[in-house]
Amino acid sequence: MVVADMSMSLDGFIAHPTDGVEHLVGWYSNGEVKVTGADPRWTFHMSQASAGHVRHGLATVGALLCGRRLYDDARGWGGNHPAGVPVFVVTHTVPAGRAREEGPFTFVTDGLESAVLRAKASAGTKTVTVVGADIAQQCLNAGLLDEIRLSLVPVLLGEGTRFFDNLTSTPVLLDGPKVIEGTGVTHLYYRVASR
């Protein structure tokens, strides 16, 4: 299964114009329940409900798919993504000084479909999680996305990067939602019903 999973403002943005996400990730640190990613550098304290959501995601993810811009903006997550799984980066060129496959990162230069196939093969029976709006939109447009998970945050950003811009095959019908009410966030799960 290929799943897009993002925190989003009530008005549909996943980042401020300066790529800031500080208003969208407060729920990772607004509770008493400790959740540690596969890499112990990444520890969060959140509500019980949000902890269940995050633990489920960490337990079921087998690979990540992202674009080069997110990889660069996140500075390669310091060499290891918090989920601790292989990361497939869709890009036109391998970053200077990097190997095509280096640590948990594989730079895929032959297109989105190839990246999804490689990520699925790596994930096996687990989920491929898509992070980043542009790659999620491309997967949705190509009919490659099975589920959308939104962590809806009660903030209005007014501008920035929209999660659902540039859709070419609309309307897209969704089944759901499954709803998990956290503190300062509502987690919504939608299955893609038709493309």
Side-chain angles (χ1 to χ4, degrees), residues 75-103:
R75 294 181 182 87
W77 294 277
N80 193 21
H81 190 276
V85 296
V87 179
F88 293 82
V89 182
V90 181
T91 182
H92 295 292
T93 58
V94 175
R98 303 298 300 260
R100 182 169 300 280
E101 294 186 26
E102 188 171 306

mmCIF file of all heavy atoms in Angstrom, residues 75-103:
data_model
loop_
_atom_site.group_PDB
_atom_site.id
_atom_site.type_symbol
_atom_site.label_atom_id
_atom_site.label_comp_id
_atom_site.label_asym_id
_atom_site.label_seq_id
_atom_site.Cartn_x
_atom_site.Cartn_y
_atom_site.Cartn_z
ATOM 1 N N ARG A 75 18.002 18.221 4.948
ATOM 2 C CA ARG A 75 19.435 17.908 5.029
ATOM 3 C C ARG A 75 19.663 16.420 5.235
ATOM 4 O O ARG A 75 20.495 15.990 6.042
ATOM 5 C CB ARG A 75 20.097 18.738 6.123
ATOM 6 C CG ARG A 75 20.108 20.227 5.852
ATOM 7 C CD ARG A 75 20.795 20.996 6.971
ATOM 8 N NE ARG A 75 20.769 22.418 6.732
ATOM 9 C CZ ARG A 75 19.771 23.232 7.101
ATOM 10 N NH1 ARG A 75 18.714 22.746 7.722
ATOM 11 N NH2 ARG A 75 19.831 24.525 6.851
ATOM 12 N N GLY A 76 18.854 15.639 4.507
ATOM 13 C CA GLY A 76 19.006 14.185 4.580
ATOM 14 C C GLY A 76 18.750 13.626 5.963
ATOM 15 O O GLY A 76 19.205 12.547 6.295
ATOM 16 N N TRP A 77 17.984 14.378 6.771
ATOM 17 C CA TRP A 77 17.643 13.956 8.138
ATOM 18 C C TRP A 77 18.879 13.534 8.922
ATOM 19 O O TRP A 77 18.847 12.644 9.759
ATOM 20 C CB TRP A 77 16.597 12.835 8.130
ATOM 21 C CG TRP A 77 15.281 13.284 7.592
ATOM 22 C CD1 TRP A 77 14.302 13.927 8.285
ATOM 23 C CD2 TRP A 77 14.796 13.120 6.256
ATOM 24 N NE1 TRP A 77 13.235 14.195 7.439
ATOM 25 C CE2 TRP A 77 13.522 13.708 6.193
ATOM 26 C CE3 TRP A 77 15.333 12.555 5.106
ATOM 27 C CZ2 TRP A 77 12.767 13.744 5.036
ATOM 28 C CZ3 TRP A 77 14.584 12.585 3.948
ATOM 29 C CH2 TRP A 77 13.316 13.178 3.927
ATOM 30 N N GLY A 78 19.999 14.180 8.633
ATOM 31 C CA GLY A 78 21.227 13.885 9.358
ATOM 32 C C GLY A 78 21.772 12.492 9.078
ATOM 33 O O GLY A 78 22.527 11.944 9.876
ATOM 34 N N GLY A 79 21.373 11.905 7.948
ATOM 35 C CA GLY A 79 21.882 10.588 7.563
ATOM 36 C C GLY A 79 20.930 9.450 7.827
ATOM 37 O O GLY A 79 21.180 8.322 7.388
ATOM 38 N N ASN A 80 19.835 9.702 8.546
ATOM 39 C CA ASN A 80 18.891 8.626 8.843
ATOM 40 C C ASN A 80 17.526 9.214 9.163
ATOM 41 O O ASN A 80 17.413 10.056 10.052
ATOM 42 C CB ASN A 80 19.391 7.790 10.025
ATOM 43 C CG ASN A 80 18.642 6.497 10.183
ATOM 44 O OD1 ASN A 80 18.028 6.003 9.248
ATOM 45 N ND2 ASN A 80 18.691 5.933 11.369
ATOM 46 N N HIS A 81 16.502 8.801 8.443
ATOM 47 C CA HIS A 81 15.138 9.279 8.695
ATOM 48 C C HIS A 81 14.638 8.704 10.026
ATOM 49 O O HIS A 81 15.021 7.589 10.411
ATOM 50 C CB HIS A 81 14.207 8.858 7.557
ATOM 51 C CG HIS A 81 12.873 9.502 7.630
ATOM 52 N ND1 HIS A 81 11.862 9.009 8.409
ATOM 53 C CD2 HIS A 81 12.393 10.627 7.056
ATOM 54 C CE1 HIS A 81 10.807 9.783 8.301
ATOM 55 N NE2 HIS A 81 11.098 10.777 7.483
ATOM 56 N N PRO A 82 13.765 9.438 10.755
ATOM 57 C CA PRO A 82 13.255 8.940 12.042
ATOM 58 C C PRO A 82 12.589 7.573 11.965
ATOM 59 O O PRO A 82 12.597 6.826 12.932
ATOM 60 C CB PRO A 82 12.239 10.003 12.469
ATOM 61 C CG PRO A 82 12.644 11.230 11.767
ATOM 62 C CD PRO A 82 13.288 10.800 10.485
ATOM 63 N N ALA A 83 12.020 7.225 10.804
ATOM 64 C CA ALA A 83 11.350 5.925 10.669
ATOM 65 C C ALA A 83 12.347 4.772 10.580
ATOM 66 O O ALA A 83 11.980 3.614 10.803
ATOM 67 C CB ALA A 83 10.431 5.916 9.448
ATOM 68 N N GLY A 84 13.598 5.069 10.241
ATOM 69 C CA GLY A 84 14.621 4.036 10.199
ATOM 70 C C GLY A 84 14.443 3.023 9.082
ATOM 71 O O GLY A 84 14.840 1.859 9.216
ATOM 72 N N VAL A 85 13.839 3.434 7.965
ATOM 73 C CA VAL A 85 13.609 2.538 6.837
ATOM 74 C C VAL A 85 14.286 3.104 5.597
ATOM 75 O O VAL A 85 14.680 4.279 5.581
ATOM 76 C CB VAL A 85 12.091 2.348 6.575
ATOM 77 C CG1 VAL A 85 11.423 1.664 7.766
ATOM 78 C CG2 VAL A 85 11.411 3.661 6.242
ATOM 79 N N PRO A 86 14.416 2.306 4.535
ATOM 80 C CA PRO A 86 14.987 2.839 3.301
ATOM 81 C C PRO A 86 14.172 4.019 2.770
ATOM 82 O O PRO A 86 12.937 4.019 2.842
ATOM 83 C CB PRO A 86 14.913 1.654 2.333
ATOM 84 C CG PRO A 86 14.876 0.446 3.215
ATOM 85 C CD PRO A 86 14.120 0.872 4.440
ATOM 86 N N VAL A 87 14.878 5.014 2.238
ATOM 87 C CA VAL A 87 14.242 6.209 1.688
ATOM 88 C C VAL A 87 14.599 6.303 0.209
ATOM 89 O O VAL A 87 15.775 6.309 -0.150
ATOM 90 C CB VAL A 87 14.717 7.491 2.418
ATOM 91 C CG1 VAL A 87 14.064 8.731 1.818
ATOM 92 C CG2 VAL A 87 14.439 7.385 3.912
ATOM 93 N N PHE A 88 13.566 6.391 -0.626
ATOM 94 C CA PHE A 88 13.741 6.498 -2.067
ATOM 95 C C PHE A 88 13.462 7.949 -2.456
ATOM 96 O O PHE A 88 12.366 8.460 -2.224
ATOM 97 C CB PHE A 88 12.826 5.522 -2.796
ATOM 98 C CG PHE A 88 13.215 4.099 -2.529
ATOM 99 C CD1 PHE A 88 12.791 3.457 -1.373
ATOM 100 C CD2 PHE A 88 14.048 3.425 -3.401
ATOM 101 C CE1 PHE A 88 13.192 2.152 -1.089
ATOM 102 C CE2 PHE A 88 14.454 2.126 -3.126
ATOM 103 C CZ PHE A 88 14.028 1.488 -1.968
ATOM 104 N N VAL A 89 14.474 8.610 -3.008
ATOM 105 C CA VAL A 89 14.405 10.034 -3.332
ATOM 106 C C VAL A 89 14.258 10.169 -4.843
ATOM 107 O O VAL A 89 15.153 9.774 -5.598
ATOM 108 C CB VAL A 89 15.660 10.785 -2.850
ATOM 109 C CG1 VAL A 89 15.549 12.274 -3.156
ATOM 110 C CG2 VAL A 89 15.908 10.543 -1.362
ATOM 111 N N VAL A 90 13.120 10.726 -5.289
ATOM 112 C CA VAL A 90 12.882 10.955 -6.712
ATOM 113 C C VAL A 90 13.603 12.242 -7.099
ATOM 114 O O VAL A 90 13.372 13.297 -6.499
ATOM 115 C CB VAL A 90 11.370 11.075 -7.003
ATOM 116 C CG1 VAL A 90 11.133 11.293 -8.500
ATOM 117 C CG2 VAL A 90 10.626 9.835 -6.519
ATOM 118 N N THR A 91 14.493 12.149 -8.079
ATOM 119 C CA THR A 91 15.319 13.289 -8.457
ATOM 120 C C THR A 91 15.739 13.169 -9.915
ATOM 121 O O THR A 91 15.690 12.077 -10.498
ATOM 122 C CB THR A 91 16.570 13.368 -7.546
ATOM 123 O OG1 THR A 91 17.340 14.511 -7.904
ATOM 124 C CG2 THR A 91 17.427 12.126 -7.644
ATOM 125 N N HIS A 92 16.139 14.284 -10.494
ATOM 126 C CA HIS A 92 16.673 14.257 -11.853
ATOM 127 C C HIS A 92 18.143 13.858 -11.857
ATOM 128 O O HIS A 92 18.618 13.237 -12.809
ATOM 129 C CB HIS A 92 16.496 15.627 -12.531
ATOM 130 C CG HIS A 92 15.061 15.995 -12.728
ATOM 131 N ND1 HIS A 92 14.229 15.330 -13.593
ATOM 132 C CD2 HIS A 92 14.301 16.952 -12.150
ATOM 133 C CE1 HIS A 92 13.020 15.855 -13.553
ATOM 134 N NE2 HIS A 92 13.035 16.838 -12.669
ATOM 135 N N THR A 93 18.856 14.226 -10.782
ATOM 136 C CA THR A 93 20.278 13.909 -10.696
ATOM 137 C C THR A 93 20.635 13.512 -9.264
ATOM 138 O O THR A 93 20.046 14.008 -8.305
ATOM 139 C CB THR A 93 21.160 15.114 -11.099
ATOM 140 O OG1 THR A 93 20.855 16.210 -10.247
ATOM 141 C CG2 THR A 93 20.931 15.514 -12.554
ATOM 142 N N VAL A 94 21.605 12.654 -9.137
ATOM 143 C CA VAL A 94 22.125 12.279 -7.821
ATOM 144 C C VAL A 94 22.888 13.486 -7.266
ATOM 145 O O VAL A 94 23.645 14.143 -8.002
ATOM 146 C CB VAL A 94 23.059 11.056 -7.946
ATOM 147 C CG1 VAL A 94 23.708 10.713 -6.617
ATOM 148 C CG2 VAL A 94 22.301 9.862 -8.506
ATOM 149 N N PRO A 95 22.692 13.817 -5.989
ATOM 150 C CA PRO A 95 23.412 14.965 -5.416
ATOM 151 C C PRO A 95 24.922 14.813 -5.574
ATOM 152 O O PRO A 95 25.467 13.707 -5.464
ATOM 153 C CB PRO A 95 23.014 14.944 -3.937
ATOM 154 C CG PRO A 95 21.743 14.176 -3.886
ATOM 155 C CD PRO A 95 21.810 13.179 -5.004
ATOM 156 N N ALA A 96 25.587 15.937 -5.805
ATOM 157 C CA ALA A 96 27.042 15.939 -5.950
ATOM 158 C C ALA A 96 27.692 15.329 -4.713
ATOM 159 O O ALA A 96 27.304 15.626 -3.581
ATOM 160 C CB ALA A 96 27.537 17.365 -6.163
ATOM 161 N N GLY A 97 28.655 14.464 -4.950
ATOM 162 C CA GLY A 97 29.391 13.850 -3.857
ATOM 163 C C GLY A 97 28.684 12.680 -3.197
ATOM 164 O O GLY A 97 29.181 12.145 -2.213
ATOM 165 N N ARG A 98 27.525 12.289 -3.711
ATOM 166 C CA ARG A 98 26.765 11.169 -3.136
ATOM 167 C C ARG A 98 26.721 10.013 -4.124
ATOM 168 O O ARG A 98 26.732 10.205 -5.337
ATOM 169 C CB ARG A 98 25.319 11.591 -2.812
ATOM 170 C CG ARG A 98 25.153 12.774 -1.887
ATOM 171 C CD ARG A 98 25.726 12.579 -0.494
ATOM 172 N NE ARG A 98 25.153 11.493 0.246
ATOM 173 C CZ ARG A 98 24.222 11.611 1.183
ATOM 174 N NH1 ARG A 98 23.738 12.797 1.490
ATOM 175 N NH2 ARG A 98 23.786 10.559 1.829
ATOM 176 N N ALA A 99 26.654 8.802 -3.610
ATOM 177 C CA ALA A 99 26.474 7.624 -4.456
ATOM 178 C C ALA A 99 24.979 7.433 -4.734
ATOM 179 O O ALA A 99 24.134 7.917 -3.967
ATOM 180 C CB ALA A 99 27.029 6.383 -3.747
ATOM 181 N N ARG A 100 24.641 6.741 -5.800
ATOM 182 C CA ARG A 100 23.237 6.483 -6.133
ATOM 183 C C ARG A 100 22.529 5.792 -4.972
ATOM 184 O O ARG A 100 21.368 6.047 -4.688
ATOM 185 C CB ARG A 100 23.142 5.643 -7.397
ATOM 186 C CG ARG A 100 21.703 5.385 -7.838
ATOM 187 C CD ARG A 100 21.612 4.790 -9.218
ATOM 188 N NE ARG A 100 22.178 5.626 -10.250
ATOM 189 C CZ ARG A 100 21.563 6.674 -10.813
ATOM 190 N NH1 ARG A 100 20.376 7.018 -10.404
ATOM 191 N NH2 ARG A 100 22.147 7.356 -11.755
ATOM 192 N N GLU A 101 23.233 4.893 -4.309
ATOM 193 C CA GLU A 101 22.712 4.241 -3.105
ATOM 194 C C GLU A 101 23.722 4.482 -2.002
ATOM 195 O O GLU A 101 24.873 4.076 -2.100
ATOM 196 C CB GLU A 101 22.507 2.745 -3.340
ATOM 197 C CG GLU A 101 21.424 2.469 -4.369
ATOM 198 C CD GLU A 101 21.111 0.997 -4.521
ATOM 199 O OE1 GLU A 101 21.330 0.229 -3.573
ATOM 200 O OE2 GLU A 101 20.643 0.633 -5.611
ATOM 201 N N GLU A 102 23.262 5.191 -0.972
ATOM 202 C CA GLU A 102 24.166 5.559 0.109
ATOM 203 C C GLU A 102 23.411 5.495 1.428
ATOM 204 O O GLU A 102 22.470 6.250 1.656
ATOM 205 C CB GLU A 102 24.708 6.973 -0.136
ATOM 206 C CG GLU A 102 25.797 7.373 0.824
ATOM 207 C CD GLU A 102 26.450 8.677 0.397
ATOM 208 O OE1 GLU A 102 26.900 8.787 -0.754
ATOM 209 O OE2 GLU A 102 26.522 9.576 1.242
ATOM 210 N N GLY A 103 23.823 4.574 2.289
ATOM 211 C CA GLY A 103 23.118 4.380 3.552
ATOM 212 C C GLY A 103 21.681 3.995 3.280
ATOM 213 O O GLY A 103 21.412 3.165 2.405
#
